[in-house]
């Protein structure tokens, strides 16, 4: 995509959903502070600087929205970094509130990929890191699914 803008095909699907369902979408922009890294859409990697000043904060409104949703479906780039960090943050919130909430999270494995730098050797291929994270999320109760499997066949899925 261009910057943080959605890919045109995805944006078209979002617009169609909003029109067909008469629902407002709520895009979430990450990285609002130049003083900390935001891999996760749920909050920055560092929230307080060494001198004690705040450099960022968790997106509590969005976290609350996800925790109260019936189902959370996750896809995006990159499985080894940004998506992984977002799911790590969500899982931390779920475990603090109610570990059973993990069952309502569906991670669409084939709609994301790990960072791989061609010709960079094994140190620059993060596929194993992404797969280990997906295994950990599944062990915590989240569902790792494929886009080619009808949602009605996803375990515990409520239509």
């Amino acid at each position: 995509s261009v910057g943080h803008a959605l890919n045109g095909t995805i944006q078209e699907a979002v617009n169609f959903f909003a029109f067909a369902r008469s629902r407002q979408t709520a895009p979430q922009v990450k990285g609002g502070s130049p003083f900390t890294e935001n891999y996760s859409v749920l909050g920055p990697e560092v929230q307080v600087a060494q001198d004690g000043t705040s450099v960022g904060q968790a997106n509590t409104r969005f976290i609350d929205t996800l925790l109260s949703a019936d189902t959370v479906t996750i896809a995006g780039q990159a499985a080894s970094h940004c998506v992984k960090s977002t799911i790590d943050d969500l899982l931390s919130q779920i475990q603090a509130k109610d570990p059973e909430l993990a069952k309502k999270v569906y991670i669409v494995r084939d709609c994301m990929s790990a960072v791989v730098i061609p010709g960079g050797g094994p140190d620059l291929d993060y596929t194993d890191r992404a797969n280990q994270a997906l295994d950990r999320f599944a062990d915590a109760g989240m569902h790792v699914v494929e886009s080619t499997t009808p949602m009605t066949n996803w375990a515990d899925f409520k239509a």
Side-chain angles (χ1 to χ4, degrees):
S1 68
V2 178
H4 65 266
L6 290 176
N7 169 281
T9 305
I10 301 297
Q11 184 64 57
E12 185 176 317
V14 168
N15 292 343
F16 179 79
F17 171 87
F19 177 76
R21 302 285 175 108
S22 296
R23 287 226 159 113
Q24 178 91 20
T25 59
Q28 301 297 309
V29 178
K30 66 177 187 164
S33 172
F35 301 112
T36 186
E37 185 59 65
N38 266 84
Y39 290 107
S40 169
V41 71
L42 301 181
E45 187 172 2
V46 176
Q47 294 186 17
V48 180
Q50 285 179 308
D51 64 2
T53 59
S54 174
V55 292
Q57 59 188 3
N59 187 343
T60 55
R61 184 177 297 172
F62 189 45
I63 292 168
D64 291 343
T65 297
L66 295 175
L67 293 176
S68 65
D70 293 334
T71 302
V72 177
T73 305
I74 301 172
Q77 292 298 354
S80 55
H81 290 77
C82 297
V83 175
K84 177 193 159 301
S85 294
T86 298
I87 300 171
D88 276 331
D89 286 351
L90 179 59
L91 182 56
S92 293
Q93 295 292 324
I94 285 172
Q95 289 174 332
K97 184 173 183 175
D98 177 4
E100 286 294 308
L101 294 174
K103 291 180 182 178
K104 69 178 184 174
V105 178
Y106 296 84
I107 305 164
V108 189
R109 176 192 301 268
D110 62 333
C111 287
M112 58 184 160
S113 60
V115 170
V116 177
I117 299 173
D123 291 341
L124 297 176
D125 181 343
Y126 293 91
T127 303
D128 287 343
R129 178 180 174 185
N131 289 333
Q132 290 166 1
L134 290 173
D135 290 344
R136 185 168 44 82
F137 300 143
D139 289 344
M142 295 177 170
H143 302 280
V144 178
V145 298
E146 303 289 328
S147 66
T148 54
T149 303
M151 294 171 87
T152 54
N153 293 348
W154 290 358
D156 302 318
F157 186 77
K158 296 177 181 110

